[in-house]
Amino acid sequence: MTRELDCRGLACPQPVLNTKDVLDQMPSGMVMVTVDNPAARDNVTRFAKSQGCAVEIQGQGPEFTLLITKGQPAAEAAPSRSGTPAGTPRLIVRLSSNLMGTGSEELGRILMKAFIKSLSDATVKPAALVFYNSGVHLTCTGSEHLDALRQLEQSGVQLFSCGTCLDFFGLKDKLAVGVVTNMYEIIETLSSADRVVSP
């Protein structure tokens, strides 16, 4: 029997949390989740795959139906949550501002540019970068950091930008690198870290 879950009109991270509640209650089976925006589609899909579920996406928008199957091998393996070799401490970098430090804005921009560029050469590379508050400006069109961030992403570093923050700043359609995330996934990412660094 397929369970149906209507998550249309729900702000993030509620579609993920509702999906989690249903999956937690069933040992196996299928859940049909309906969402009404690409961010919710992607967030629920990523979450379901991280739980070992297979996901089939139907629809071209504005609404999407996600057929989530629990208890069978996923058709597509969930992406690795670490861009670092096994045995290396899992490092997460959180960026809550588009500037590094407090004081001079000009100096803060210079320092942030050097920090992001240097991450590629660091001895311990981060598994993920989490952007929230004004930090989401770093991942959007017009950011001077896009080339360095794309290089990190290509090397296996995951880049997560808070969807609520992108909405707040009117940047949802301007995300140029990484993926839109939600508060649940941010908490899971940070809590899975051996170390969290904030520039």
Side-chain angles (χ1 to χ4, degrees):
M1 178 177 163
T2 300
R3 301 268 311 260
E4 294 187 18
L5 189 57
D6 187 351
C7 292
R8 290 174 291 188
L10 299 181
C12 80
Q14 205 57 53
V16 169
L17 296 177
N18 289 4
T19 302
K20 179 182 184 302
D21 287 344
V22 171
L23 289 175
D24 285 349
Q25 294 170 17
M26 50 189 279
S28 63
M30 182 177 284
V31 182
M32 185 170 69
V33 182
T34 304
V35 295
D36 58 4
N37 63 81
R41 173 200 64 198
D42 296 344
N43 285 334
V44 171
T45 298
R46 259 195 328 275
F47 169 74
K49 287 183 177 181
S50 78
Q51 303 303 299
C53 299
V55 182
E56 179 186 337
I57 302 171
Q58 299 177 344
Q60 302 295 317
E63 292 185 359
F64 302 92
T65 300
L66 310 177
L67 299 176
I68 301 172
T69 305
K70 182 177 180 181
Q72 296 178 5
E76 178 184 332
S80 167
R81 296 188 64 84
S82 174
T84 56
T88 303
R90 182 171 158 81
L91 172 67
I92 304 297
V93 177
R94 62 178 181 179
L95 298 112
S96 61
S97 173
N98 58 335
L99 306 174
M100 185 172 181
T102 56
S104 165
E105 285 192 20
E106 182 181 357
L107 178 58
R109 283 191 198 87
I110 293 169
L111 293 174
M112 183 60 80
K113 185 173 184 178
F115 178 83
I116 290 176
K117 192 167 184 179
S118 298
L119 284 174
S120 293
D121 300 319
T123 304
V124 177
K125 289 189 176 50
L129 274 60
V130 177
F131 302 86
Y132 58 93
N133 209 317
S134 65
V136 298
H137 287 276
L138 300 169
T139 60
C140 293
T141 303
S143 167
E144 63 181 324
H145 308 286
L146 293 180
D147 288 342
L149 291 174
R150 286 189 182 109
Q151 183 179 345
L152 284 167
E153 189 174 42
Q154 288 168 2
S155 72
V157 177
Q158 294 182 298
L159 307 177
F160 297 114
S161 289
C162 168
T164 301
C165 305
L166 291 167
D167 277 340
F168 181 85
F169 291 113
L171 296 171
K172 198 89 170 228
D173 296 331
K174 298 185 185 296
L175 185 67
V177 65
V179 297
V180 178
T181 191
N182 59 76
M183 194 53 67
Y184 177 81
E185 190 168 26
I186 289 173
I187 291 168
E188 290 288 296
T189 301
L190 294 176
S191 63
S192 71
D194 296 308
R195 285 185 288 165
V196 176
V197 172
S198 297

